[in-house]
C-alpha cells in the first residue's frame, strides 16, 4: 500500500492510506463509548453481566471494549473470537493490548493492559475472511430459528459458535448473564445464500 501510495504521489495525487489496524485511538474511543452504553443500560436494568462475546478482527473493537469495561469497573469477561487466520493469535493479542493502552493515554484514563489478560479465542476461525465454518453455519441456523436474528458466515457466526459451545460445555452457568455484541456483516448472508437456504 505504501509503495502504491508513493507512486500515486509522484503523479501528483493525494492518496489516503487506510491500514488494516489503523483505526487508532480516535476510532477506538467509540468502542469505549459502547462499553459506557452497556454500563449505563445494565445499571438502569439493575443487572450485572459476566461475559461479553464478539468477533474480533483487527482488535480495535476489543481494545475499546476492554478499556471501557476496566474504566467503568464492569466485572465483564470480554471474549474476542478470531474470524480468520490473517495473522497469529499472538500478534492480535499484542495489538489489542497496545491499542487499548494507546487509547487510554489518548483519553487520559489510568487503565493499562498486558497481553496475558486479553481473552482471545482463535479456535473458531475460518480459512479466509469469508470462509464459513460448520459450527458457524449451525450457529446461524440456531439464532435465526430461536431469536429471528441473522448472523453472517464470515464474521459474526464465529463468535456466536464460541458462545454456544461455552454454554453447552457448562463453561457459562445458568445464572450468568451474557452479552452478545452483533457488529454487523449481514450483507454476507446473501453471498452464502445457497448454503444457507440448503
Ligand atoms: C462485521 C464486522 N464487524 C466489525 C468489524 C471490526 O472488527 P475489529 O474492530 O476487530 O477490526 C469487522 C471487520 O472486519 C467486520 O467485518
Amino acid at each position: 500500500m505504501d509503495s502504491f501510495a508513493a507512486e500515486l504521489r509522484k503523479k501528483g495525487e493525494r492518496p489516503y492510506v487506510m491500514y488494516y489496524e489503523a483505526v487508532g485511538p480516535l476510532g477506538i474511543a467509540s468502542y469505549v463509548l459502547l462499553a459506557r452504553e452497556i454500563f449505563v443500560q445494565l445499571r438502569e436494568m439493575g443487572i450485572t453481566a459476566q461475559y461479553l462475546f464478539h468477533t474480533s478482527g483487527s482488535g480495535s473493537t476489543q481494545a475499546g471494549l476492554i478499556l471501557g469495561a476496566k474504566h467503568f469497573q464492569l466485572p465483564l469477561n470480554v471474549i474476542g473470537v478470531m474470524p480468520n487466520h490473517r495473522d497469529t493469535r499472538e500478534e492480535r493479542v499484542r495489538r489489542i493490548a497496545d491499542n487499548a493502552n494507546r487509547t487510554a493515554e489518548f483519553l487520559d484514563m489510568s487503565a493499562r493492559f498486558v497481553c496475558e489478560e486479553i481473552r482471545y479465542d482463535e479456535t473458531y476461525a475460518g480459512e479466509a475472511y469469508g470462509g464459513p465454518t460448520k459450527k458457524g453455519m449451525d450457529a446461524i441456523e440456531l439464532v435465526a430459528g430461536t431469536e429471528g436474528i441473522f448472523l453472517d458466515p464470515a464474521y459474526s457466526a464465529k463468535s456466536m459458535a464460541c458462545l454456544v459451545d461455552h454454554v453447552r460445555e457448562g463453561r457459562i452457568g445458568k445464572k450468568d448473564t451474557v452479552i452478545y455484541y452483533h457488529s454487523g456483516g449481514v450483507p454476507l448472508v446473501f453471498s452464502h445464500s445457497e448454503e444457507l437456504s440448503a
Side-chain angles (χ1 to χ4, degrees):
M1 285 194 292
D2 284 333
S3 59
F4 185 51
E7 264 174 51
L8 292 174
R9 278 191 200 99
K10 270 190 215 149
K11 292 183 194 158
E13 297 191 32
R14 297 190 301 148
Y16 178 79
V17 183
M18 275 177 77
Y19 296 102
Y20 173 49
E21 74 281 21
V23 176
L26 187 61
I28 295 171
S30 63
Y31 295 109
V32 177
L33 291 177
L34 168 60
R36 183 178 176 277
E37 202 175 317
I38 290 168
F39 168 75
V40 170
Q41 287 187 14
L42 288 172
R43 196 180 47 189
E44 281 171 3
M45 290 189 283
I47 54 176
T48 50
Q50 287 73 38
Y51 296 93
L52 188 157
F53 282 79
H54 70 106
T55 308
S56 181
S58 74
S60 299
T61 306
Q62 193 166 0
L65 281 172
I66 58 170
L67 175 56
K70 202 179 248 195
H71 181 80
F72 296 109
Q73 298 181 339
L74 282 168
L76 199 57
N77 290 299
V78 176
I79 302 178
V81 180
M82 190 191 234
N84 54 40
H85 289 288
R86 189 149 39 186
D87 41 19
T88 65
R89 180 182 189 282
E90 285 65 36
E91 284 167 319
R92 293 204 192 185
V93 166
R94 198 175 322 112
R95 194 183 305 134
I96 292 164
D98 287 350
N99 276 330
N101 290 336
R102 281 171 55 219
T103 307
E105 273 175 41
F106 174 71
L107 295 174
D108 214 6
M109 290 175 163
S110 58
R112 291 294 181 273
F113 295 86
V114 292
C115 291
E116 290 66 35
E117 66 192 296
I118 313 295
R119 296 192 64 176
Y120 193 74
D121 192 321
E122 78 282 18
T123 57
Y124 292 83
E127 275 316 310
Y129 177 87
T133 58
K134 166 83 177 76
K135 282 191 169 184
M137 293 306 238
D138 291 346
I140 291 177
E141 195 178 340
L142 176 71
V143 177
T146 53
E147 302 288 340
I149 293 171
F150 286 88
L151 303 164
D152 75 275
Y155 205 77
S156 49
K158 304 198 174 136
S159 50
M160 184 56 80
C162 179
L163 164 53
V164 168
D165 275 355
H166 270 69
V167 173
R168 287 195 176 140
E169 291 161 13
R171 286 196 271 166
I172 291 177
K174 287 204 163 123
K175 291 198 176 133
D176 288 329
T177 297
V178 181
I179 298 169
Y180 179 77
Y181 172 52
H182 187 339
S183 61
V186 172
L188 284 165
V189 166
F190 301 102
S191 321
H192 294 272
S193 56
E194 269 180 36
E195 295 131 278
L196 287 169
S197 48

